[in-house]
Amino acid sequence: MAKVNPIQVQKFLKGVDYPTGKRELVEHARRQGADEPVLDTLEQIPMDRFNSLNDVAEGIGKIREAA
């Protein structure tokens, strides 16, 4: 797995309307020009619903804990 941190992901999630689902996050990041490591990271987050960018960061942390 590529090492992607929450700061790298955050720049592709500007303008997201929370709460939102994982599919919407991935699609938003793709439209913002996110590369494959960022998209893969979003896909691997073990949560399906996000109330804020903090939830996204927490989900990325859970990926790292599981690795």
Side-chain angles (χ1 to χ4, degrees):
M1 181 184 94
K3 305 266 193 241
V4 176
N5 66 51
I7 304 299
Q8 290 169 290
V9 173
Q10 181 178 352
K11 70 181 185 177
F12 297 108
L13 297 181
K14 288 187 189 328
V16 169
D17 290 325
Y18 294 96
T20 193
K22 184 190 296 189
R23 172 73 16 227
E24 290 80 10
L25 278 183
V26 172
E27 290 306 317
H28 184 88
R30 183 174 280 120
R31 286 191 303 273
Q32 297 299 313
D35 58 13
E36 284 303 312
V38 168
L39 297 173
D40 289 345
T41 297
L42 289 172
E43 289 280 0
Q44 290 178 37
I45 294 174
M47 301 151 60
D48 292 320
R49 205 78 191 134
F50 305 89
N51 292 316
S52 69
L53 190 56
N54 286 340
D55 284 355
V56 177
E58 182 180 313
I60 292 171
K62 288 180 180 183
I63 296 170
R64 291 169 182 256
E65 289 169 10

